[in-house]
Amino acid sequence: MTDATGWGGEPAPEGVRLQKVLAAAGVASRRVSEQYIAEGRVEVNGEIVTELGRRIDPETDLVAVDGVAVQLDPAKRYYMLNKPRGVVSSMRDEQGRPDLTRFTDGLEERVFNVGRLDAETSGLLLLTNDGDLAHVLAHPSFGVSKTYIAKVTGRVTPQVIQQLKNGIELDDGPIKADKARILQQQGDDRHSMVELTLHSGRNRIVRRMLDAVGHPVVDLVRRSFGPLNLGTLRSGQMRELTKEERGQLLTISRAAEADREGGES
């Protein structure tokens, strides 16, 4: 006979079995999840777990498989949008310009954009309802890199590329690209295609950098954001992130939070 506390008056075990949690999170079937645990591939709160009877609290415990974080909250959503030119990075534009609601109105959950792209810049924009992750990814101190492809006026030389990597002085302070390279020169020297990677979150930073070295931007696209890449996603299209992409973002977020807490202690 059982009561509210369990068999024979013994307290009922707390939490949910780890393999059940992994299966519910879409990592693998329960049987395969048990294999992962037995092989030492699963961590709970930074410690490897090999006991199949381990129970956890999905709301508070942090789980990773093969070093990649697992999102246990089914209510969290993550979307990649290829934002077109002419759309402002806002959920409601007071001036009545086209905004992000045209892409999010059909979603069941309320999401918001992580960082911004100016209206005339197209490309990768992350939308989510995960506030903790959004804070880490948007804050420049955490160093999440972004890669842009810019069509600029004039013929860009290797010396200009080196200048961008060495650093230049802008009105709001110095800035340098983490990486920079020439992708293509037009035959008539009127335009060049360049790729820049940087982790700054400053307003219109790529346009201002290229302006400062004498090559104003004609067209600008953000191709990647941290581990995310636009790939073949067409302008105006949106999709949910894959399980692997979610894991990569969560891994970055947790590592940044751990570094921050370590610095405060």
Side-chain angles (χ1 to χ4, degrees):
M1 181 176 178
T2 63
D3 55 26
T5 59
W7 287 97
E10 292 293 325
E14 295 182 357
V16 185
R17 285 187 182 273
L18 181 54
Q19 57 265 43
K20 183 177 180 180
V21 172
L22 291 173
V27 172
S29 68
R30 197 176 302 190
R31 179 172 295 182
V32 173
S33 295
E34 290 176 350
Q35 293 176 359
Y36 289 171
I37 296 169
E39 292 167 359
R41 297 170 60 182
V42 180
E43 296 176 23
V44 177
N45 300 326
E47 296 183 359
I48 293 175
V49 173
T50 56
E51 321 92 60
L52 296 182
R54 175 67 178 270
R55 291 176 179 267
I56 69 166
D57 183 348
E59 293 187 7
T60 58
D61 288 324
L62 302 180
V63 175
V65 176
D66 294 333
V68 178
V70 178
Q71 177 57 272
L72 303 181
D73 185 351
K76 296 291 172 62
R77 290 287 184 270
Y78 309 87
Y79 299 90
M80 179 192 299
L81 169 68
N82 188 346
K83 187 190 83 66
R85 289 181 64 176
V87 175
V88 296
S89 297
S90 171
M91 290 302 170
R92 185 169 68 89
D93 184 62
E94 295 178 354
Q95 301 178 36
R97 294 172 298 179
D99 56 34
L100 299 175
T101 55
R102 60 177 54 199
F103 307 105
T104 62
D105 275 348
L107 302 179
E108 293 182 6
E109 58 284 316
R110 183 180 179 184
V111 298
F112 48 89
N113 47 298
V114 178
R116 304 172 69 86
L117 290 174
D118 67 68
E120 293 310 303
T121 299
S122 61
L124 200 159
L125 196 62
L126 178 64
L127 304 169
T128 184
N129 59 358
D130 187 338
D132 292 337
L133 179 136
H135 170 71
V136 170
L137 295 182
H139 203 287
S141 67
F142 292 115
V144 178
S145 64
K146 303 110 177 172
T147 298
Y148 299 82
I149 294 178
K151 180 180 180 180
V152 301
T153 59
R155 184 177 183 84
V156 176
T157 65
Q159 290 76 19
V160 168
I161 293 296
Q162 193 59 50
Q163 187 181 359
L164 291 167
K165 292 193 285 188
N166 290 343
I168 55 178
E169 191 72 32
L170 299 178
D171 292 342
D172 54 353
I175 184 70
K176 63 179 180 179
D178 300 330
K179 299 177 184 177
R181 63 184 180 128
I182 301 168
L183 293 181
Q184 181 183 344
Q185 301 278 15
Q186 303 296 326
D188 58 5
D189 288 352
R190 290 177 57 194
H191 298 102
S192 304
M193 300 289 289
V194 297
E195 180 182 270
L196 289 183
T197 299
L198 63 164
H199 59 270
S200 170
R202 284 149 65 177
N203 188 41
R204 297 174 66 86
I205 189 64
V206 175
R207 292 179 183 275
R208 292 193 290 131
M209 288 176 70
L210 290 166
D211 228 9
V213 295
H215 296 280
V217 170
V218 176
D219 191 27
L220 185 62
V221 181
R222 183 159 71 186
R223 292 294 308 176
S224 71
F225 183 92
L228 306 180
N229 196 291
L230 271 183
T232 59
L233 191 67
R234 291 183 294 181
S235 179
Q237 287 190 328
M238 185 171 73
R239 66 168 176 83
E240 276 203 80
L241 298 190
T242 65
K243 179 180 64 178
E244 291 74 20
E245 289 169 333
R246 294 197 306 270
Q248 290 171 334
L249 288 182
L250 287 167
T251 301
I252 291 173
S253 175
R254 290 181 188 176
E257 285 295 319
D259 288 346
R260 182 181 63 82
E261 291 172 3
E264 293 176 353
S265 61

